[in-house]
Amino acid sequence: MSEGIGARVKRKEDKRFTTGKGRYTDDIKTENQAYAAFVRSPHAHATVNSINSDIARLKPGVIDILDGHQLTADGIGNLICGWAINSKDGSPMNMGAWSALATERVRYVGDAIVVVIAETQAQARIAAEFVEIDYEVHAAVTTSGSALESGAPQIHENAPGNLIYDWEIGDESATDAGLASAAHVTELNVTNNRLAPNPMEPRAAIATFNDADDHYTLYTTSQNPHVARLVLSAFYQVAPEHKLRVIAPDVGGGFGAKIYIYPEEITCLWASMKTRRSVKWTADRSEAFLTDAHGRDHETKARIGFDANGLITGLKVDTVANLGGYMSLFSSAVPTYLYATLLSGQYNIKNIYSNVKAVYTNTVPVDAYRGAGRPEAAYLIERLLETAAREMNIDPAELRRKNFIREFPHETPVIMTYDAGDFEGNLDKARAAADVAGFEARKAEAASRGKLRGLGYSCYIEACGIAPSQAVGSLGAGVGLWESAEVRVNPVGTIEILTGSHSHGQGHETTFAQIVAERFGLPTENIQIVHGDTDKVQFGMGTYGSRSGAVGMTAIVKAMDKVEAKVKKLAAHVLEASEEDLVIEDGAVKVAGTDKQMLWHEVGLAAYTAHNLPEGMEPGLKEGAFYDPTNFTFPAGAYIAEVEVDPDTGITDVVQFTSVDDFGTIINPMIVEGQVHGGVAQGIGQAMLEQVVYDDQGQLLTGSYMDYCMPRADDLPFFTIEHNSTVCPGNPLGIKGCGEAGAIGAPPAIINAITDAIGNNDLSMPATPRAVWHAVQAAKAKSTAAA
């Protein structure tokens, strides 16, 4: 059976995961290991007057108690945001100081102030309860709207009015003219609710300082260990880069939250140096709610105009993005270049203008969460299209059809150039799979049972594989966004692939092996994928933004090109044939049209014994490559949700969900389907269940699963998943990416379906039973008043 591209190969990594043999950071135990517990602020906004740890130091097992003043004195730098955004007047963003351990002021509940190092985890946590901190409590601000109000509490002195930046993209004059000329204008206020990422494995770190050679080792739950090492050394001055090893072993999910460097990793490394002990910290779930970077949290006002034929004349968007108490590593880019640049959606819109204000609040910092800006853009444009269709009494599918982009490449007014797609084909296939033609009959049947049935569309597009590096650098990115790979053919012919990408649930050990199997005709069991260790793998940029296929795999392809060239040169010499006559298939290098061949292991052995190499050829068979994409990739799709609402309780059942995605070339359909399943589940969670809530004092009200509702199996239907692939012209494999699509396309489809069912468009996420019930009552009242 083929194990190459397109085969449904079972995940190689699942054997260890399903048998409990996975090796996560918390599973690792080091010599002379101690434990860290953090003393965190119970206040959202306060001045730290004094710290008294005298009693805590007397508790059993305590090794040391450290604070931010000591950390600063040792030269440890502040946490930074790695993407510089300028306001529309050209002024730089107002990045406030963020120390790994707060010294003078705390800015959200959970802000770390002191770390206790003790012999056991329990001893560290108990002693932390006895650290006394005197606070002067200040008023807090928790919402983006209130942060900009006159007289709002000032969070950072260098950010007047709590404004981080006031940014724009597009032509405002042309957009205003387009709206003025419109025969119909739809206006919509949209909230994109704040979410907690909730990866199955909480964050963890184990730091070890070896004073024999002043070398540091950090095991951590990271999506990009090389970037972590770079930031820890170059910006936070924790350790010189060549004396710091970062290892990200098995990682139990990330969803963006494990991209960043947090205070805990910095502090554990520093504390290890201070105490000469290995220092381990693992978050519990409550700590994760309080400290993991949250996602989304946009407030938006939008206007979209249409001419008499239903064609879009202009789109104007004003968004306020809540970035929390500090700027996290990539937070600035999410509501700007990852959001506003996708506002054209799948539609031919000539005039777009967006203004984005980012603000500080006394909440957990906000950064990229699965989709990162793209879900916010898709939700806005798809809610606008659905609402406009209802207002103009046009079928929502037909209004989309009228405006689809049909010719490629297509340059949008917000700097993106879409390279390939079949948006109408996606919609047609989704409508057929969802049996839209039979919807009215199903709706009537539901009505006979007292239920309200609705259908909602979502035609999403996203940008993945962020690149090229020169372009993103010109837009403010602090790093390049290329990827690296090394292909090592061993003397016996087995292959090791060293990749700068990182796997934390995506199945790289399988899919990366499949592209090698396809190229050289080898079984995947002979191919090992190595990643996640900065001492083993060359510098790479990690995994996020659905980049591992389009960027990471392409780097492997480029390295395989070099291996193949050397293999053919060597085999041609040994077989006394022309390189042009050689083919590599079925684990052998063959002379086409003859029975002459070298088996793959014979090639490896010949390369390393070096007894009969072509003149000038070096021994060995190992090649590397760095790949910098020429453009983003643009996965797209059409989703259709069908729901039933109980008008008496507001309970909503998702009875059918259909997705048709264009991911370009699909390496492993089974793994891709799994990615879509997970993304759609998260998208339904955002649409119907999940929301981070703070009170007016900045206290987190949804700090556990008692109050933060996650989707469960019985909240979800069986999904209908199909594909309508067009090949991406920007990389040799034709891959577009699939990891975030479900989380992008699902929320608007669900809300559009619910609002269709209840006849009331005024419904925000999450559409909880209470929210839906109130919307049903409002629709009834409006209907009664109209009568």
Side-chain angles (χ1 to χ4, degrees):
M1 185 183 75
S2 170
E3 293 184 307
I5 294 173
R8 300 177 71 89
V9 178
K10 291 183 179 179
R11 291 183 12 141
K12 296 173 64 177
E13 49 270 77
D14 281 353
K15 180 180 179 181
R16 69 177 186 274
F17 293 146
T18 57
T19 58
K21 302 292 175 52
R23 191 165 183 258
Y24 299 90
T25 299
D26 192 55
D27 294 324
I28 295 165
K29 293 178 174 58
T30 58
E31 186 179 354
N32 204 25
Q33 182 172 287
Y35 293 81
F38 288 86
V39 180
R40 303 184 182 277
S41 171
H43 306 292
H45 196 195
T47 298
V48 178
N49 291 330
S50 63
I51 301 170
N52 186 339
S53 57
D54 291 346
I55 296 175
R57 289 182 185 278
L58 299 176
K59 295 300 173 182
V62 171
I63 298 166
D64 205 349
I65 297 177
L66 305 167
D67 62 35
H69 296 286
Q70 295 164 282
L71 180 128
T72 302
D74 282 349
I76 305 300
N78 289 329
L79 282 82
I80 62 163
C81 177
W83 197 304
I85 298 292
N86 290 336
S87 290
K88 58 188 179 183
D89 64 3
S91 60
M93 64 187 188
N94 299 316
M95 183 169 63
W98 184 8
S99 174
L101 295 174
T103 54
E104 298 176 356
R105 181 168 290 207
V106 290
R107 294 178 172 87
Y108 66 94
V109 173
D111 211 348
I113 305 169
V114 169
V115 64
V116 176
I117 312 299
E119 296 291 348
T120 70
Q121 184 181 67
Q123 288 172 334
R125 290 180 174 181
I126 289 169
E129 296 289 335
F130 289 89
V131 175
E132 298 175 353
I133 302 176
D134 180 56
Y135 300 94
E136 179 185 347
V137 180
H138 308 301
V141 59
T142 59
T143 65
S144 55
S146 56
L148 291 173
E149 291 177 356
S150 176
Q154 181 73 35
I155 298 173
H156 289 277
E157 291 182 1
N158 66 323
N162 298 316
L163 182 67
I164 299 171
Y165 53 72
D166 182 358
W167 178 87
E168 66 179 358
I169 192 170
D171 188 329
E172 184 173 20
S173 297
T175 302
D176 286 341
L179 290 168
S181 70
H184 178 85
V185 174
T186 291
E187 299 186 8
L188 198 63
N189 295 340
V190 168
T191 298
N192 210 286
N193 43 322
R194 178 183 281 234
L195 304 174
N198 285 307
M200 187 178 293
E201 177 202 26
R203 289 189 298 113
I206 306 174
T208 301
F209 174 71
N210 185 343
D211 58 6
D213 56 5
D214 294 334
H215 190 276
Y216 296 77
T217 300
L218 175 67
Y219 286 89
T220 185
T221 49
S222 176
Q223 297 178 217
N224 47 356
H226 278 99
V227 175
R229 184 177 73 156
L230 171 65
V231 172
L232 285 163
S233 60
F235 297 99
Y236 305 152
Q237 293 89 47
V238 177
E241 189 174 14
H242 67 296
K243 288 184 174 290
L244 173 59
R245 180 185 186 185
V246 177
I247 305 169
D250 288 329
V251 174
F255 311 126
K258 294 176 181 174
I259 296 173
Y260 329 111
I261 295 298
Y262 288 87
E264 292 83 8
E265 292 96 325
I266 299 170
T267 302
C268 285
L269 279 166
W270 169 70
S272 178
M273 182 273 294
K274 297 290 282 186
T275 62
R276 297 304 198 263
R277 298 284 297 271
S278 289
V279 175
K280 182 175 186 176
W281 168 81
T282 302
D284 59 28
R285 189 58 65 181
S286 294
E287 213 168 5
F289 273 108
L290 284 173
T291 62
D292 289 3
H294 291 166
R296 316 289 193 250
D297 205 342
H298 283 192
E299 296 286 347
T300 297
K301 296 180 179 180
R303 301 174 71 225
I304 189 168
F306 299 84
D307 68 15
N309 296 317
L311 300 179
I312 300 170
T313 62
L315 170 63
K316 191 168 188 177
V317 176
D318 291 293
T319 294
V320 182
N322 184 347
L323 298 191
Y326 303 97
M327 295 189 74
S328 182
L329 192 60
F330 293 123
S331 60
S332 58
V334 175
T336 52
Y337 291 113
L338 299 182
Y339 160 69
T341 56
L342 273 299
L343 287 172
S344 192
Q346 298 186 8
Y347 310 109
N348 187 7
I349 308 176
K350 292 182 172 58
N351 304 303
I352 301 176
Y353 174 79
S354 178
N355 174 241
V356 178
K357 295 181 175 69
V359 300
Y360 288 115
T361 63
N362 295 115
T363 61
V364 172
V366 175
D367 211 315
Y369 169 70
R370 196 171 192 172
R374 283 73 55 85
E376 295 91 319
Y379 184 74
L380 177 63
I381 190 68
E382 291 305 294
R383 289 289 290 123
L384 281 167
L385 263 291
E386 199 88 5
T387 302
R390 294 169 188 172
E391 291 176 350
M392 294 188 289
N393 199 28
I394 299 174
D395 181 274
E398 292 311 307
L399 183 61
R400 288 173 167 85
R401 252 186 246 283
K402 285 176 180 282
N403 289 282
F404 276 147
I405 296 163
R406 289 181 170 81
E407 295 182 2
F408 298 90
H410 174 87
E411 187 171 345
T412 74
V414 280
I415 76 172
M416 289 296 182
T417 301
Y418 300 167
D419 54 9
D422 179 15
F423 303 152
E424 191 163 16
N426 297 340
L427 181 59
D428 289 343
K429 193 168 185 178
R431 282 171 57 86
D435 185 23
V436 173
F439 171 71
E440 289 301 327
R442 296 192 297 275
K443 183 175 181 179
E445 189 279 329
S448 72
R449 294 182 281 108
K451 298 293 181 70
L452 306 174
R453 198 166 183 117
L455 184 143
Y457 293 92
S458 169
C459 294
Y460 78 90
I461 190 167
E462 59 167 324
C464 299
I466 304 172
S469 296
Q470 184 177 6
V472 296
S474 71
L475 300 177
V479 293
L481 293 172
W482 43 267
E483 195 47 87
S484 68
E486 186 176 295
V487 177
R488 295 179 182 173
V489 181
N490 296 320
V492 295
T494 57
I495 296 179
E496 296 171 68
I497 303 295
L498 287 76
T499 173
S501 299
H502 185 273
S503 182
H504 39 275
Q506 293 86 354
H508 293 174
E509 293 176 38
T510 304
T511 54
F512 285 21
Q514 284 183 254
I515 66 170
V516 181
E518 175 85 10
R519 186 68 168 269
F520 299 133
L522 301 172
T524 57
E525 65 182 16
N526 288 5
I527 303 160
Q528 181 181 7
I529 310 301
V530 181
H531 66 95
D533 186 336
T534 61
D535 270 15
K536 292 182 179 180
V537 179
Q538 69 287 339
F539 197 103
M541 299 310 298
T543 294
Y544 42 85
S546 302
R547 71 191 304 272
S548 295
V551 189
M553 284 187 182
T554 300
I556 296 172
V557 168
K558 297 292 185 182
M560 287 195 295
D561 290 344
K562 299 176 184 180
V563 168
E564 180 175 331
K566 186 170 183 178
V567 165
K568 286 186 173 180
K569 186 173 183 179
L570 172 58
H573 175 74
V574 173
L575 297 171
E576 298 180 342
S578 168
E579 291 182 44
E580 288 71 25
D581 292 335
L582 298 180
V583 293
I584 301 176
E585 60 185 18
D586 302 326
V589 185
K590 302 177 181 180
V591 181
T594 76
D595 60 358
K596 296 173 67 176
Q597 67 176 21
M598 285 184 75
L599 297 177
W600 188 258
H601 72 272
E602 294 175 328
V603 176
L605 196 61
Y608 284 94
T609 57
H611 294 164
N612 185 18
L613 297 179
E615 185 176 351
M617 177 179 283
E618 295 179 355
L621 194 49
K622 178 182 76 170
E623 299 289 348
F626 288 78
Y627 172 66
D628 197 0
T630 57
N631 190 12
F632 291 80
T633 63
F634 296 96
Y639 288 4
I640 301 176
E642 201 165 317
V643 302
E644 279 190 1
V645 177
D646 184 335
D648 295 327
T649 64
I651 292 175
T652 301
D653 291 321
V654 182
V655 294
Q656 180 175 294
F657 196 98
T658 303
S659 70
V660 173
D661 295 290
D662 178 1
F663 296 141
T665 301
I666 293 175
I667 305 300
N668 186 319
M670 180 177 65
I671 287 178
V672 167
E673 288 163 12
Q675 288 288 310
V676 175
H677 280 204
V680 170
Q682 283 183 278
I684 292 174
Q686 174 174 15
M688 299 179 64
L689 302 167
E690 298 182 50
Q691 184 172 22
V692 172
V693 179
Y694 287 90
D695 69 12
D696 292 342
Q697 285 75 48
Q699 294 296 326
L700 181 63
L701 301 181
T702 50
S704 76
Y705 292 137
M706 292 290 290
D707 300 295
Y708 188 95
C709 188
M710 297 280 285
R712 292 165 173 80
D714 62 355
D715 294 314
L716 308 170
F718 285 96
F719 304 133
T720 300
I721 294 177
E722 298 192 9
H723 304 287
N724 182 45
S725 295
T726 62
V727 174
C728 174
N731 62 74
L733 290 168
I735 292 174
K736 296 187 179 184
C738 69
E740 297 165 299
I744 295 169
I750 294 293
I751 298 301
N752 285 337
I754 296 173
T755 53
D756 176 58
I758 66 178
N760 183 354
N761 201 55
D762 186 14
L763 179 68
S764 294
M765 297 188 291
T768 62
R770 181 177 184 273
V772 173
W773 185 86
H774 278 289
V776 169
Q777 303 314 306
K780 288 180 180 178
K782 185 177 181 180
S783 177
T784 301

